[in-house]
Amino acid sequence: MSINLDQLPKVVDIELELLGSLLLKNGLVIPQITNILKPDDFYYSVHQIIYKIIIDLHNNGVVPNILAIVEELRKRRDFKDNESVFLNVALSLGDVAFTTAYSLDYAYTIKEKSILRSLIQAGNSIVRNATNPNASSDDIIKSTENLLADIKFSFDLSSSTNFADFFDKKFQQNVEDMKLFANRKTGFVNLDDNQIFSPGLYVIGGLPALGKTSFAWQLLEQLASRGESCVYCSYEMSEFELFSKSLARAVFFLDKNTGLTSAGIRRGDSSHSLQNIVSKFKSSNLDLHVLELQEHDIDDLIFKLSTFCKDKAPIFVLDYLQIVPVKDSNISPKQAIDEIVRKLKNFQRQTNSTFIVVSSFNRLNYSQRVSFESFKESGNIEYSADVVWGLQLYCTNHLLVDSIAKNREIIEQAKKANPRQIQLCCLKNRQGLNYDIFFQYFPANDCFVSCDESTFKKSLEPVTSSHNQQNKDD
């Protein structure tokens, strides 16, 4: 049995009254309410957004008011598409609440409805899993336990820990848990020098055909070669394509002048070196798995991944975010991405796994240095991810200000180079400082090689000189 959106438990009027009460008495009740409610607990998406804005204003020392909320709303990319809705809700906040006396009652009512909606969604997932002919009863039970544990983790209001109890009961164990990942290495020296690769949600984005999949696959293979358990979730490439990338890269490391490419290997091209590498791969026993996915939505995916987490959570890669199917046709692309990222983050926290998500870029940002604006529908990426990486061509740092045609020419030339000059920009890092690192990417061989920035600078001299001349001519 399924339930439509109109039947889902909700209290939209109470949500609106609670938001209005948060603006009273200089936001007096905000700290109490934020201990109970998360933005996702609100049913109405506009209410979620306004609640998040109110919290951010409060945390930044700004007394929340309607004008401040409207100003923040206007900064959002989705504001123009829903301007009347946003403004109607924001402007009504001054008329819906006249006291904070019922704020806590409202918050608990909203939380209750949020729990019921999550239970309904979990029930639908359990039904889908139970009717899957390829799922065993053990898998279904494990998936059900994970779903219910996720809901309990998200909604258990009694799970808070006070300051003394944390240091008495949990602190040292948390430290010991983190020590387990202190020596984890990715195989990219420059990345290992800057990033502690501990459990968390990592997002990596870049231009089309820039090498995102090759980078993510090489990273995962290098982790597997160091004893990690790894799973690559591919909505785009087959296992044949991915493993042929590994062969082409391995041959390239032996012979930089090799003519073998991954495409050629798939067509039957071979060599003595390739045969030796195939034999080594057969005997290597790497704990590296590929899941080929097509119509699996995020709940289907999490169900499959939960079967890999019985003993120790693996390192996962999802390639890529924007093509994960969405079964609910009534939600916008942004809402779909937000929901997927939220569920991935919950799964990652529940399993203490390391999850790398590949994301595409917004087309409007193809000729600009990477930023959060580069990511398509990046709302929950920015807030939920622990680490955000952006891959860009190094030449992007040196484009002309007002010459779109010339910039496109520079970018196309840079994409044709062999090796390509690739810069990885860390935009967010909860585990340390942000950083920029550099790679030479050999696309024909699906191979990234760490390097330093000085390797690139000399080759940019002709471009810089051309830019200077262009500016003089202008």
Side-chain angles (χ1 to χ4, degrees):
M1 175 181 176
S2 62
I3 188 167
N4 64 44
L5 290 177
D6 291 335
Q7 296 173 301
L8 287 174
K10 54 187 177 293
V11 281
V12 175
D13 291 343
I14 288 179
E15 289 183 2
L16 194 61
E17 289 192 45
L18 176 64
L19 292 174
S21 75
L22 299 182
L23 307 187
L24 302 176
K25 299 181 181 180
N26 294 329
L28 178 67
V29 298
I30 291 176
Q32 293 174 283
I33 302 305
T34 54
N35 285 332
I36 301 170
L37 295 178
K38 301 175 298 183
D40 286 350
D41 289 324
F42 289 81
Y43 174 81
Y44 194 18
S45 61
V46 175
H47 293 174
Q48 296 174 4
I49 292 167
I50 291 177
Y51 180 62
K52 180 66 171 63
I53 288 174
I54 291 173
I55 295 172
D56 289 343
L57 289 170
H58 177 78
N59 291 341
N60 291 327
V62 178
V63 176
N65 58 67
I66 292 175
L67 290 178
I69 292 171
V70 171
E71 183 178 349
E72 291 300 313
L73 284 172
R74 292 185 186 279
K75 297 177 182 178
R76 296 184 60 89
R77 285 186 296 172
D78 51 2
F79 177 76
K80 290 184 179 180
D81 295 333
N82 303 279
E83 182 173 351
S84 61
V85 176
F86 277 121
L87 290 179
N88 285 339
V89 173
L91 294 175
S92 70
L93 295 183
D95 301 322
V96 294
F98 304 98
T99 177
T100 60
Y102 307 109
S103 298
L104 285 176
D105 290 338
Y106 290 162
Y108 284 117
T109 299
I110 293 167
K111 173 64 75 172
E112 177 70 16
K113 300 304 180 184
S114 180
I115 293 172
L116 292 175
R117 291 196 299 272
S118 292
L119 288 171
I120 289 170
Q121 291 170 354
N124 288 336
S125 295
I126 292 168
V127 170
R128 284 202 304 272
N129 295 338
T131 55
N132 181 352
N134 298 320
S136 67
S137 58
D138 286 342
D139 288 341
I140 295 168
I141 292 170
K142 179 65 175 177
S143 173
T144 301
E145 290 173 347
N146 287 338
L147 284 168
L148 296 178
D150 187 18
I151 293 172
K152 186 177 187 305
F153 175 83
S154 298
F155 295 114
D156 187 358
L157 299 179
S158 64
S159 63
S160 60
T161 303
N162 67 35
F163 196 78
D165 283 347
F166 173 76
F167 284 100
D168 182 44
K169 300 175 182 178
K170 296 183 178 181
F171 175 71
Q172 194 55 46
Q173 184 57 53
N174 288 168
V175 170
E176 295 303 317
D177 291 342
M178 288 302 294
K179 284 182 179 178
L180 298 175
F181 304 98
N183 296 318
R184 179 190 269 177
K185 301 298 181 184
T186 67
F188 289 126
V189 175
N190 51 1
L191 183 56
D192 293 332
D193 287 343
N194 288 278
Q195 183 71 55
I196 301 171
F197 201 59
S198 56
L201 180 63
Y202 297 70
V203 176
I204 181 166
L207 296 173
L210 192 64
K212 300 186 299 295
T213 294
S214 292
F215 180 84
W217 176 248
Q218 182 176 344
L219 175 67
L220 204 65
E221 184 189 320
Q222 289 172 176
L223 285 160
S225 70
R226 286 157 174 77
E228 300 287 349
S229 176
C230 300
V231 180
Y232 199 94
C233 312
S234 180
Y235 279 89
E236 191 171 44
M237 287 197 174
S238 67
E239 60 181 17
F240 184 34
E241 292 173 293
L242 290 168
F243 285 116
S244 64
K245 286 177 178 285
S246 296
L247 293 173
R249 183 168 54 252
V251 172
F252 178 73
F253 279 134
L254 287 178
D255 178 9
K256 295 296 187 290
N257 297 315
T258 179
L260 278 179
T261 66
S262 58
I265 290 170
R266 291 194 295 275
R267 291 193 298 265
D269 294 349
S270 186
S271 69
H272 180 68
S273 297
L274 179 62
Q275 296 307 313
N276 288 336
I277 288 168
V278 170
S279 297
K280 289 181 179 179
F281 276 16
K282 286 181 179 179
S283 60
S284 66
N285 200 30
L286 293 186
D287 192 1
L288 176 59
H289 306 262
V290 174
L291 283 179
E292 292 185 7
L293 303 161
Q294 293 180 340
E295 299 304 319
H296 304 80
D297 68 7
I298 187 60
D299 294 323
D300 298 329
L301 174 61
I302 288 175
F303 169 67
K304 281 182 170 291
L305 297 187
S306 64
T307 63
F308 289 92
C309 300
K310 293 179 180 178
D311 298 317
K312 176 185 175 183
I315 301 172
F316 297 106
V317 168
L318 170 59
D319 187 10
Y320 63 94
L321 180 63
Q322 280 74 19
I323 58 175
V324 177
V326 177
K327 291 184 179 178
D328 186 353
S329 59
N330 295 316
I331 62 175
S332 68
K334 180 188 180 304
Q335 289 173 316
I337 295 296
D338 283 354
E339 178 73 358
I340 291 168
V341 172
R342 183 185 68 80
K343 289 186 175 183
L344 287 178
K345 181 58 184 174
N346 284 344
F347 174 79
Q348 181 275 311
R349 290 182 66 183
Q350 178 187 331
T351 59
N352 198 36
S353 57
T354 305
F355 215 118
I356 305 168
V357 178
V358 179
S359 175
S360 56
F361 269 3
N362 189 325
R363 290 187 180 276
L364 297 177
N365 295 90
Y366 282 3
S367 299
Q368 302 175 18
R369 179 179 167 85
V370 297
S371 67
F372 282 115
E373 291 298 316
S374 306
F375 288 84
K376 290 183 176 179
E377 312 295 348
S378 65
N380 261 6
I381 291 176
E382 181 175 353
Y383 296 120
S384 299
D386 298 290
V387 178
V388 179
W389 293 325
L391 286 181
Q392 68 175 20
L393 293 162
Y394 183 68
C395 69
T396 307
N397 297 306
H398 304 273
L399 297 177
L400 296 168
V401 176
D402 297 314
S403 183
I404 296 176
K406 182 63 177 177
N407 288 342
R408 286 177 178 169
E409 180 184 340
I410 292 170
I411 289 173
E412 289 306 312
Q413 288 177 350
K415 287 174 72 173
K416 293 175 182 176
N418 188 30
R420 290 179 192 160
Q421 299 176 342
I422 302 294
Q423 181 175 357
L424 183 149
C425 306
C426 179
L427 304 175
K428 177 183 179 181
N429 186 11
R430 281 183 177 153
Q431 300 155 5
L433 300 175
N434 291 353
Y435 51 86
D436 288 356
I437 54 178
F438 307 92
F439 298 90
Q440 290 181 314
Y441 172 45
F442 298 83
N445 311 101
D446 294 286
C447 183
F448 279 78
V449 179
S450 301
C451 65
D452 55 42
E453 187 175 10
S454 62
T455 305
F456 295 163
K457 284 185 175 178
K458 187 174 182 181
S459 63
L460 273 174
E461 290 176 2
V463 175
T464 305
S465 175
S466 172
H467 283 198
N468 292 337
Q469 185 62 46
Q470 175 82 28
N471 290 332
K472 287 180 182 178
D473 293 343
D474 292 342

